[in-house]
Amino acid sequence: MSALTVKLKIDNIEVEVPEGTTILKAARDNGIEIPTLCSLEGLTNYGGCRLCLVEVKGAPKLFPACTTPVSAGMEVITNSEQLREYRKMTIQLLLSERTHVCSVCVANDHCELQSLANKLGVDHSIFERNWTRKEIDSSHDFLVIDRNRCILCTRCIRVCDEIEGVHTLDLKQRGRKAEVIMDLDEDWVNSCSCTSCRKCAKVCPVGAIYIEGEPITRTKNKDVAEFILTRRQRK
Amino acid sequence: MVEGKNMGKEIEIHPVTRIEGHAKVTIHLNKDDSVKEARFHVLDFRGFEKFSEGRPFYEMPGITSRSCGICPVSHLLASAKACDAIVGVKPPKAAVLLRRLMHMGQLIQSHALSFFHLSAPDLLLGMDAPPETRNIFGLIEKKPDLAIQGVKLRKFGQEIIEKVAGKRIHSYDWIIPGGAKWPLSKENADYLRSNLPEALDIALKTLKMFKSSLQGFDDEVENFGNFPTYYLGLVTPKGGLEHYDGKIRIVDAEGKIVADQLDPEAYQEYIGEAVEPWSYMKFPYYKPLGYPEGIYRVGPLARLNIASHCGTPLADEELKEFKKLGKKGVVQSTFHYHYARLIELLFCLETAKELLEDPAILSERVSSKASVNNEQGVGVAEAPRGTLIHHYKVDAQGRILWANMIIATEHNNLAFNKAVTQVAKKYVKAKQLQEGMLNRVEAVIRAFDPCLSCATHAVGQMPLQVQLIDAEGRLVDQKVR
Ligand code: FES
């Protein structure tokens, strides 16, 4: 750990953290919760979901806490009326795309999107639903991807690349059309790089990638992040 | 996106149908103002079959059971059996016992709901009692003991479901193709065993009370959908009452078995499905007789009419007595659905008792593993309201290509219309709708205990709208309840 530290204020609380720490980590290490979806400890953050946006005093724009490093004297606000509104809107945008029908979803009650929506008080979406049918790939022996439920957080892609080291998964297309694919858009069963390690299912925050027939509580057990972290640091 | 826009528009243009159009009865008059026929229309549509396309087959129990909040377990079972057929395995014995037990819970709770909450006010407070008090609250006031017993019995049914599968209503994650996810714990089994005697006692008492009140309803028995039809349902290999497995038997109005031990999988060979432009509910009929002559009924009355015995001691006694009401053991009047439901209630409690006494029910082995082996599967179960059929076709990955469901209430559709016509003929006198007549139309519909939300695969409350239409097609009177 670097010896140099930086002092800053988060929600008016004075904190001191090692140089180079992200705002998210600085906040969490000091007991301040910032909602996140695409970020997962142990994986490289890429700032995709925009749920962790925070205000920095004196700056005209918002910053994603998961990718912005702290700097000395920074004054961060993690919870303002405006931020709460933005976060709600972000969740609504996610919900308006694809099919999020909790009642018949494998991840019901164990879904990060669902619990964030609950926590942030999202009870409806102001956006028109923008739904197109996506194909489900259940060709693999036990891994299933239901692209209708995918929120494109890319955790699966990053875990496959950074931890398992095979990079079977990636994205094709852009924006609303984007989809997680295997190899060069093969059916999963035909992927020659997939090692069937199940990590993608373990890190999926929703019910998009899951293990057929396995209780979701077993797939998504809490220590995933810890496991990834220890593997990463070669402990 | 296009779909979304269109949907939004439709709601704006037709707000009226959303509010009051869900179930409508039209009574058509002849030139001389006598009743020609009455039609029971169902005007909403939900299309479960359509939106299950592309879903993995093992999601079907969860998806389809959402079509109904009253008999989700029956959908779960029919669907799970269709899935069993797709994977082509036999669930282990304990899983079958547990699924059966769960289904008994479903039947108990649904029959108790139908009798105590929905029909008892008509039956015990009288058809001509004012509608404001002719409901469960009126019943609580007039006959508090009975109302409480009804609540208790229903609760016991729900408890069976809960103890077996974890949740009272949509316990869809317990059932899986090839069996069930977890076994029954000893505490849960003990709990159910110890609560059974009280439930059985209530069922017996209620049946007794119902029988003693029967004389007061001669008129209704005579005119409530009292006509000959065929009857269809599942029976055991020996022709006994069956709700989970078994094969299809069809009996005519004279009690003659016209077809027996038909394979449910081949239902399309003997059941046709007609469509009428004025209703979203399909009109199934017995194919060899054609449409609409192939009218048949399903549900409690039909099941008792086709079964030669129940297979449990108390219910068998009652069945013997029941069969005396009809010609050659076949009871025609739709009014007697109530009676049949109470006998089934008794049977279900006795069966639950037997199931719980079987030591195999506690076995830990509750699922057989397999993946897609067949390209289609049919699952059939006797839901509280009658024979329920689920039929799916899947691709090599197990994704649904096509699905068809025939819901209990649909089988009765033809009989429904006939029954409403009969009541209208008897009670519509002038070019005007009377309150007592409305009550009876409502009551005859209720005798069938239709569940429109799952039958049309349609959402919503069911406000009743009755229209009187003269020979020229003009609306002469209408009432909305
Ligand atoms: S968690 Fe920071 S952008 Fe998703």
Side-chain angles (χ1 to χ4, degrees):
Chain A
M1 207 180 270
S2 144
L4 295 174
T5 59
V6 174
K7 275 191 190 160
L8 71 154
K9 267 189 180 170
I10 304 178
D11 291 346
N12 269 326
I13 300 166
E14 190 92 44
V15 304
E16 190 173 346
V17 293
E19 207 180 26
T21 311
T22 62
I23 297 176
L24 178 65
K25 183 142 186 0
R28 285 202 174 151
D29 288 353
N30 287 281
I32 300 166
E33 222 2 85
I34 299 176
T36 57
L37 254 183
C38 66
S39 159
L40 187 70
E41 219 172 339
L43 299 179
T44 311
N45 287 327
Y46 92 125
C49 75
R50 312 313 265 184
L51 264 169
C52 66
L53 288 180
V54 292
E55 293 171 10
V56 174
K57 263 205 191 135
K61 58 170 193 153
L62 304 172
F63 295 90
C66 67
T67 54
T68 312
V70 294
S71 59
M74 215 179 206
E75 283 184 47
V76 179
I77 296 158
T78 71
N79 202 352
S80 66
E81 185 57 41
Q82 190 198 12
L83 287 174
R84 278 195 296 273
E85 271 316 301
Y86 278 155
R87 285 175 189 149
K88 268 181 142 173
M89 212 186 281
T90 305
I91 297 280
Q92 290 176 9
L93 279 166
L94 286 173
L95 290 173
S96 69
E97 231 177 76
R98 316 216 169 167
T99 326
H100 299 284
V101 184
C102 303
S103 57
V104 293
C105 176
V106 274
N108 192 10
D109 285 345
H110 303 279
C111 169
E112 293 179 38
L113 179 64
Q114 186 188 42
S115 67
L116 268 179
N118 279 338
K119 223 194 264 165
L120 298 174
V122 178
D123 46 17
H124 66 285
S125 172
I126 57 170
F127 302 105
E128 193 179 324
R129 268 198 113 147
N130 226 331
W131 180 72
T132 32
R133 200 185 276 265
K134 300 260 179 230
E135 207 180 330
I136 297 171
D137 183 345
S138 55
S139 61
H140 188 279
D141 256 6
F142 51 83
L143 289 164
V144 184
I145 180 166
D146 181 349
R147 298 181 173 99
N148 297 292
R149 296 176 184 151
C150 177
I151 57 168
L152 301 170
C153 70
T154 72
R155 279 188 192 178
C156 53
I157 297 175
R158 285 173 284 150
V159 82
C160 183
D161 176 31
E162 298 171 12
I163 308 298
E164 182 63 8
V166 293
H167 204 133
T168 300
L169 304 175
D170 212 326
L171 279 184
K172 77 167 180 189
Q173 300 267 31
R174 312 194 57 182
R176 204 174 67 216
K177 290 197 181 136
E179 272 177 28
V180 171
I181 53 165
M182 289 78 199
D183 290 351
L184 294 171
D185 205 1
E186 312 283 348
D187 273 352
W188 208 330
V189 70
N190 296 329
S191 159
C192 41
S193 64
C194 175
T195 60
S196 302
C197 73
R198 307 169 186 232
K199 289 192 185 69
C200 49
K202 285 189 177 290
V203 299
C204 179
V206 292
I209 301 189
Y210 59 93
I211 297 168
E212 193 188 323
E214 182 174 280
I216 200 75
T217 41
R218 170 120 57 91
T219 315
K220 297 189 196 303
N221 51 8
K222 282 273 163 357
D223 41 23
V224 172
E226 206 181 314
F227 167 78
I228 292 174
L229 215 52
T230 45
R231 295 305 300 149
R232 192 146 208 208
Q233 293 163 354
R234 300 266 182 272
K235 273 192 203 161
Chain B
M1 38 194 174
V2 176
E3 291 132 291
K5 265 189 198 138
N6 283 343
M7 249 183 237
K9 257 187 213 149
E10 209 168 289
I11 293 170
E12 276 175 32
I13 298 168
H14 304 294
V16 192
T17 53
R18 303 266 315 166
I19 300 163
E20 50 185 5
H22 297 298
K24 185 172 84 173
V25 171
T26 53
I27 298 166
H28 301 258
L29 301 176
N30 287 317
K31 281 242 162 54
D32 63 354
D33 291 342
S34 60
V35 172
K36 185 170 154 224
E37 64 165 347
R39 285 174 178 177
F40 181 78
H41 308 243
V42 175
L43 303 169
D44 216 333
F45 179 70
R46 208 148 68 158
F48 265 83
E49 284 103 333
K50 195 71 202 160
F51 62 65
S52 25
E53 278 171 21
R55 305 303 311 169
F57 75 102
Y58 48 78
E59 275 185 8
M60 290 306 277
I63 292 176
T64 55
S65 70
R66 296 274 158 182
S67 61
C68 182
I70 303 174
C71 64
V73 173
S74 306
H75 281 282
L76 271 182
L77 291 174
S79 181
K81 285 175 73 187
C83 292
D84 292 347
I86 287 170
V87 295
V89 295
K90 251 183 139 177
K93 184 170 179 206
V96 174
L97 294 177
L98 287 172
R99 284 180 179 188
R100 267 183 195 274
L101 178 60
M102 187 189 191
H103 202 199
M104 292 302 125
Q106 170 68 83
L107 287 151
I108 293 165
Q109 81 94 355
S110 174
H111 281 1
L113 175 82
S114 164
F115 185 78
F116 291 95
H117 296 234
L118 305 178
S119 302
D122 287 344
L123 301 177
L124 304 173
L125 304 178
M127 294 283 173
D128 297 299
E132 307 83 73
T133 55
R134 200 165 31 86
N135 53 36
I136 182 75
F137 301 109
L139 189 71
I140 292 171
E141 213 167 90
K142 287 262 168 60
K143 311 209 180 228
D145 296 353
L146 185 84
I148 288 169
Q149 292 192 327
V151 171
K152 271 193 182 159
L153 201 53
R154 173 150 194 246
K155 178 163 166 261
F156 182 65
Q158 288 173 319
E159 275 174 344
I160 295 183
I161 300 172
E162 192 188 353
K163 298 293 174 204
V164 172
K167 274 194 225 162
R168 279 186 192 185
I169 305 176
H170 290 297
S171 32
Y172 62 86
D173 40 4
W174 177 74
I175 279 208
I176 48 173
K181 260 195 199 154
W182 56 83
L184 179 66
S185 73
K186 179 140 187 326
E187 304 108 73
N188 282 349
D190 288 343
Y191 176 88
L192 293 176
R193 270 183 219 129
S194 65
N195 282 286
L196 236 156
E198 191 193 358
L200 206 54
D201 192 48
I202 295 176
L204 275 171
K205 274 200 199 125
T206 312
L207 187 55
K208 206 165 149 208
M209 181 207 65
F210 176 83
K211 284 193 285 188
S212 65
S213 72
L214 254 183
Q215 298 101 329
F217 291 99
D218 289 346
D219 229 25
E220 280 78 8
V221 170
E222 193 51 40
N223 298 298
F224 266 39
N226 186 14
F227 45 76
T229 60
Y230 283 63
Y231 299 93
L232 179 147
L234 293 175
V235 287
T236 62
K238 289 201 177 121
L241 187 59
E242 173 65 63
H243 295 88
Y244 174 76
D245 257 329
K247 300 257 153 100
I248 300 271
R249 171 182 279 185
I250 301 168
V251 160
D252 73 6
E254 311 280 280
K256 200 174 98 219
I257 297 173
V258 266
D260 203 10
Q261 303 297 324
L262 295 175
D263 195 350
E265 241 168 66
Y267 74 97
Q268 285 167 320
E269 281 170 23
Y270 47 88
I271 297 176
E273 291 179 86
V275 192
E276 291 284 2
W278 45 270
S279 182
Y280 270 127
M281 193 148 79
K282 289 180 273 188
F283 291 80
Y285 59 96
Y286 178 47
K287 258 190 185 165
L289 289 184
Y291 177 77
E293 284 69 31
I295 176 174
Y296 62 84
R297 282 181 272 182
V298 299
L301 180 76
R303 288 193 287 255
L304 295 195
N305 277 340
I306 61 166
S308 58
H309 59 277
C310 290
T312 59
L314 295 173
D316 267 333
E317 282 302 304
E318 296 294 337
L319 182 67
K320 262 184 226 147
E321 200 182 325
F322 177 80
K323 285 200 181 270
K324 284 189 201 134
L325 282 178
K327 246 195 291 164
K328 299 199 185 138
V330 172
V331 181
Q332 303 273 23
S333 175
T334 297
F335 186 80
H336 285 312
Y337 266 91
H338 296 301
Y339 192 171
R341 216 166 272 133
L342 289 175
I343 296 177
E344 280 204 329
L345 206 45
L346 194 60
F347 167 80
C348 292
L349 287 160
E350 286 184 287
T351 307
K353 187 159 170 265
E354 278 175 14
L355 288 165
L356 283 161
E357 275 161 7
D358 188 334
I361 202 164
L362 290 175
S363 156
E364 300 273 321
R365 247 194 80 71
V366 289
S367 77
S368 311
K369 270 226 164 74
S371 56
V372 186
N373 286 311
N374 297 312
E375 55 202 18
Q376 57 176 309
V378 177
V380 180
E382 283 291 333
R385 292 160 189 78
T387 317
L388 172 62
I389 304 174
H390 281 225
H391 183 188
Y392 315 140
K393 291 184 184 164
V394 295
D395 66 9
Q397 292 187 22
R399 294 173 298 198
I400 299 286
L401 292 172
W402 174 92
N404 186 31
M405 304 178 354
I406 305 185
I407 312 300
T409 301
E410 285 176 295
H411 293 288
N412 282 335
N413 203 2
L414 278 172
F416 245 179
N417 283 282
K418 210 165 173 176
V420 174
T421 303
Q422 193 178 33
V423 169
K425 279 199 170 141
K426 166 91 183 171
Y427 295 98
V428 176
K429 286 282 144 23
K431 268 190 173 178
Q432 229 182 17
L433 296 167
Q434 247 82 41
E435 191 59 32
M437 180 269 152
L438 273 184
N439 292 350
R440 284 176 174 85
V441 167
E442 225 177 25
V444 75
I445 294 173
R446 214 173 274 134
F448 278 106
D449 190 20
C451 178
L452 299 181
S453 70
C454 64
T456 57
H457 322 184
V459 219
Q461 279 276 322
M462 191 201 118
L464 180 73
Q465 185 187 7
V466 181
Q467 294 183 334
L468 199 59
I469 292 167
D470 70 9
E472 271 78 55
R474 280 181 309 237
L475 181 67
V476 284
D477 193 11
Q478 88 166 317
K479 286 227 158 96
V480 180
R481 171 65 56 76

